[in-house]
C-alpha cells in the first residue's frame, strides 16, 4: 500500500513509480505468463481427456481428471479477467478480445459435447476436432491480437 504523499510533494516520484510498476511492470508480466501457462495446461489436459474419452478409457472418469480441469480453467478465466481489467482492455473496445471470448464459448460448448454429451464416437470426435480448432484460434488471436490472425502470420 502506498503511503500518503506529504503536502510538499516529497515522495511523488516514488508514488508514480509504484503505480507504473503495478500497471505494466513485473507483476503484470508474471500474471500474463501465469495466464499463458494455465492456457497451455488447460489445452493439454483437454487433449488428454478427449483422447481418453474417444478411446472409452476409464482414466477419463478418475476423480482428479474430472475436478482438476475446473480448477485450472477457473483460475485461467479469473486471471484473464484481472489482466483485462488491469490493462483496461474491454471486449467492446478491442475486437480481438471479443473474438477470443466468443471462441471460448464455442470451445466450451464443443468440449461439453466431446467429453460429456456426445451420443456417438463420431459426434464426440467431430466436436473434439472443433474444440481443438477453437483453442488454436484463441491462441493465435491472443498472440497476434487480430480477429483474423492468419492474415498477419508469416
Amino acid at each position: 500500500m502506498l503511503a500518503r504523499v506529504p503536502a510538499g510533494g516529497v515522495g511523488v516520484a516514488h508514488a508514480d513509480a509504484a503505480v507504473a510498476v503495478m500497471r505494466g511492470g513485473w507483476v503484470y508480466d508474471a500474471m500474463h505468463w501465469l495466464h499463458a501457462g494455465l492456457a497451455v495446461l488447460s489445452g493439454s489436459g483437454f487433449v488428454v481427456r478427449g483422447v481418453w474419452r474417444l478411446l472409452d478409457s476409464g482414466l477419463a472418469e478418475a476423480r482428479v481428471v474430472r475436478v482438476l480441469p475446473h480448477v485450472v480453467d477457473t483460475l485461467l478465466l479469473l486471471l484473464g479477467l484481472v489482466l483485462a481489467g488491469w490493462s483496461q482492455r474491454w471486449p467492446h473496445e478491442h475486437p480481438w478480445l471479443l473474438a477470443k471470448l466468443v471462441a471460448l464459448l464455442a470451445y466450451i460448448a464443443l468440449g461439453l459435447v466431446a467429453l460429456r454429451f456426445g451420443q456417438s464416437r463420431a459426434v464426440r470426435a467431430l466436436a473434439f476436432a472443433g474444440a481443438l480448432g477453437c483453442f488454436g484460434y484463441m491462441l493465435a488471436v491472443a498472440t497476434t491480437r487480430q480477429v483474423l490472425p492468419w492474415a498477419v502470420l508469416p
Side-chain angles (χ1 to χ4, degrees):
M1 187 168 167
L2 296 176
R4 268 189 191 260
V5 177
V10 177
V12 172
H14 176 71
D16 289 343
V19 170
V21 166
M22 290 182 69
R23 284 199 180 146
W26 68 270
V27 175
Y28 180 88
D29 291 343
M31 289 193 331
H32 180 264
W33 282 107
L34 179 59
H35 179 74
L38 287 170
V40 169
L41 184 61
S42 176
S44 300
F46 178 73
V47 168
V48 170
R49 289 180 298 135
V51 169
W52 283 345
R53 182 72 170 109
L54 289 174
L55 296 175
D56 292 322
S57 171
L59 294 171
E61 300 304 319
R63 183 170 175 81
V64 70
V65 174
R66 289 182 294 125
V67 173
L68 189 59
H70 296 293
V71 173
V72 170
D73 293 343
T74 299
L75 290 173
L76 179 61
L77 181 60
L78 288 174
L79 201 50
L81 293 172
V82 167
L83 288 169
W86 201 338
S87 63
Q88 298 183 0
R89 291 186 178 121
W90 311 112
H92 67 280
E93 295 172 347
H94 298 278
W96 67 271
L97 193 52
L98 180 60
K100 195 172 157 187
L101 291 174
V102 170
L104 175 63
L105 294 176
Y107 171 72
I108 291 169
L110 290 167
L112 284 170
V113 173
L115 298 177
R116 194 176 299 169
F117 299 116
Q119 297 297 316
S120 69
R121 184 174 294 184
V123 168
R124 289 193 309 267
L126 190 60
F128 184 59
L132 290 176
C134 288
F135 189 79
Y137 174 76
M138 285 188 294
L139 289 179
V141 168
T143 303
T144 63
R145 295 186 179 170
Q146 298 292 320
V147 174
L148 302 174
W150 50 86
V152 296
L153 293 175

